[in-house]
Amino acid sequence: MKNGGMAMISKMDIYNMIPAQYIPRTIFVKNDETADQALERVLNSGIAFPFIAKPDIGMKAFGVEKIHNKVEFQKYVKWSPSHFLVQEFVPFQKEVGVFYVRKPGEAKGKITGVVSKEFLSVTGDGKSTLLQLIKSNPRSHFQLKVLKQKFGDQLNNVLPLGKEFVLVPYGSHTRGAKFVDICHLINADLNNTINEVCTQMSGFYYGRLDVLCNTFEELCIGEKFSIIEINGAGGEATHIYDPKHSLFWAWREVARHWNHLCEISILNYKQGHSYLSFRDGRTMLKESGALQSRLKVV
């Protein structure tokens, strides 16, 4: 995206850039609204329980929660340190991250990376409790403190043989999701679908779209998908986090994408868009660190 100044970007401002047919129904909630006022607006908009609540300015899925009832919503409002969004729950089971690059002046961009996100889950063996299954997997064990807060006594239940239990239904690396590089599946249909979305967004040339869909094949042909997040210049090409890749391979991918970003920035500068100053960049970095410390999981 073009340089928007030193302030961190509001997710609502980004959603307003995206054609409405591609995103979930979304309501902006100010931090001075009471839970009753906000919930009345949410329900009147046609959004029903369960729905998703997320910080308006956030990162790494911190503070993103599925809200099932009024009590949970009241708890979220009490916790929220700032403005937040309420989104209708999208029941699609697959999340994909698609990185897109287009130079200013080009009619069509290209996809430079695709990642499939496997939500943090455990599978029952008919003997072990949820707690034991969580502890047996390093990826879920790392999330144990948060999972104890979320599930409480439910962790003592024995999961039936073969039954999968999703612990964290969000495609965030920091919340336990596994990222799988599926760049080999990039095809002309997917390029056309993503390009159709991105060229309708004024000033968007570089970034990652996080998309929910039923199947990857349906996403490719533009059917049954919903964009739940777009990250611009600060977005990562998250296929680098596939465990099969080496650190040196990931560094090369980062450098490749930064080269794209540099080329786009130079072209934007020639069209009159200023660079972010070192001072403003440092300020954003400090704001980001402060925000991350506040956005603890509910």
Side-chain angles (χ1 to χ4, degrees):
M1 292 184 180
K2 297 174 183 175
N3 174 18
M6 63 179 287
M8 297 184 70
I9 298 175
S10 160
K11 292 184 187 296
M12 194 69 216
D13 288 346
I14 295 175
Y15 285 122
N16 287 335
M17 295 174 57
I18 309 170
Q21 67 267 32
Y22 300 126
I23 60 174
R25 190 174 303 173
T26 305
I27 299 294
F28 180 86
V29 179
K30 295 182 178 180
N31 62 351
D32 60 355
E33 280 190 81
T34 67
D36 287 343
Q37 290 172 334
L39 185 58
E40 182 178 8
R41 285 202 305 116
V42 168
L43 298 179
N44 286 341
S45 76
I47 298 176
F49 291 116
F51 53 70
I52 301 297
K54 63 171 69 173
D56 180 50
I57 298 178
M59 61 188 73
K60 302 178 181 178
F62 292 146
V64 179
E65 292 297 327
K66 186 177 180 181
I67 307 297
H68 298 85
N69 52 55
K70 182 176 181 179
V71 172
E72 290 183 2
F73 185 68
Q74 289 172 332
K75 179 182 176 182
Y76 191 91
V77 171
K78 184 178 181 180
W79 164 85
S80 178
S82 188
H83 310 315
F84 66 92
L85 307 180
V86 168
Q87 286 187 325
E88 62 179 334
F89 175 70
V90 179
F92 301 151
Q93 298 300 308
K94 188 174 185 63
E95 183 173 341
V96 177
V98 182
F99 212 97
Y100 174 85
V101 173
R102 178 169 63 94
K103 292 181 181 179
E106 288 184 335
K108 191 170 184 178
K110 62 182 179 181
I111 294 171
T112 59
V114 184
V115 65
S116 176
K117 304 179 182 183
E118 298 179 0
F119 301 148
L120 184 65
S121 65
V122 292
T123 301
D125 59 9
K127 300 177 292 183
S128 303
T129 65
L130 273 174
L131 181 60
Q132 291 170 329
L133 293 170
I134 290 169
K135 288 183 176 181
S136 68
N137 185 317
R139 187 176 291 273
S140 55
H141 197 175
F142 188 75
Q143 304 286 332
L144 183 58
K145 181 178 178 180
V146 172
L147 295 175
K148 283 183 175 180
Q149 293 174 350
K150 181 176 182 179
F151 294 110
D153 292 340
Q154 191 176 350
L155 295 182
N156 296 320
N157 296 341
V158 173
L159 200 61
L161 177 65
K163 181 176 178 58
E164 182 184 28
F165 186 88
V166 176
L167 299 166
V168 182
Y170 313 118
S172 170
H173 199 247
T174 55
R175 296 187 68 177
K178 180 181 178 181
F179 289 4
V180 180
D181 184 350
I182 56 171
C183 288
H184 62 286
L185 297 180
I186 295 173
N187 57 63
D189 285 340
L190 182 63
N191 268 293
N192 290 336
T193 293
I194 298 302
N195 196 71
E196 175 68 21
V197 175
C198 294
T199 53
Q200 294 183 64
M201 300 169 57
S202 177
F204 182 75
Y205 301 113
Y206 177 97
R208 190 189 73 249
L209 292 74
D210 292 332
V211 184
L212 289 176
C213 55
N214 275 324
T215 68
F216 184 75
E217 291 72 23
E218 287 184 348
L219 170 61
C220 288
I221 61 176
E223 292 185 359
K224 297 181 181 179
F225 72 91
S226 183
I227 299 170
I228 56 171
E229 199 85 27
I230 289 186
N231 295 272
E236 294 179 297
T238 47
H239 60 284
I240 66 173
Y241 292 116
D242 187 320
K244 72 183 178 186
H245 291 315
S246 71
L247 178 61
F248 294 104
W249 185 93
W251 283 349
R252 286 197 298 270
E253 279 295 277
V254 171
R256 180 170 73 96
H257 282 81
W258 282 1
N259 184 60
H260 287 308
L261 182 58
C262 182
E263 292 176 349
I264 292 168
S265 298
I266 291 171
L267 291 171
N268 275 333
Y269 181 75
K270 291 179 178 179
Q271 295 178 14
H273 301 286
S274 62
Y275 295 131
L276 186 72
S277 71
F278 177 80
R279 175 181 294 180
D280 287 350
R282 184 174 59 182
T283 299
M284 284 186 63
L285 187 61
K286 290 181 178 179
E287 289 178 350
S288 176
L291 177 64
Q292 183 166 323
S293 67
R294 294 199 307 270
L295 296 178
K296 297 179 180 179
V297 178
V298 177

